[in-house]
Amino acid sequence: MRQTSEELALVKRLVELPYLLSALEVDKHKIYASNFKMKSVYVDYLDGTQKKIALEMYQSKQSLKEHHIKIIDSKPSGMV
């Protein structure tokens, strides 16, 4: 069965989002370790962005489920 461009874009986005969450988490740790004034403003903004990404991930997973699409990690378990 051939996937539509919409389905492929959805899968691509779902693969990218966890990396974005990780990058934001790293940024938050750097902000905590910095000498910025008003750190809480930056961290609150990143927290809000992370919540939006988590919601998008949830919605994307639901959409994949509706289209009966599964993402399978093809990397052997011993590889890094």
Side-chain angles (χ1 to χ4, degrees):
M1 186 171 143
R2 188 167 171 90
Q3 288 77 29
T4 65
S5 59
E6 177 187 328
E7 291 170 340
L8 291 173
L10 184 62
V11 169
K12 180 181 176 189
R13 186 70 176 155
L14 192 59
V15 170
E16 292 172 342
L17 289 174
Y19 292 106
L20 183 54
L21 277 177
S22 298
L24 291 175
E25 194 63 35
V26 169
D27 289 348
K28 281 176 32 179
H29 289 293
K30 287 181 181 180
I31 290 170
Y32 278 126
S34 73
N35 59 358
F36 282 160
K37 294 179 183 176
M38 301 185 339
K39 292 179 190 181
S40 63
V41 174
Y42 296 109
V43 172
D44 289 346
Y45 176 75
L46 293 178
D47 284 339
T49 303
Q50 285 180 313
K51 288 178 184 176
K52 290 177 186 176
I53 292 169
L55 177 61
E56 184 178 346
M57 286 177 63
Y58 174 78
Q59 292 169 338
S60 296
K61 287 179 182 181
Q62 294 301 317
S63 183
L64 287 179
K65 193 179 284 189
E66 291 171 6
H67 287 94
H68 305 289
I69 298 173
K70 292 183 181 180
I71 298 176
I72 299 171
D73 185 6
S74 62
K75 184 175 30 172
S77 60
M79 297 192 68
V80 175

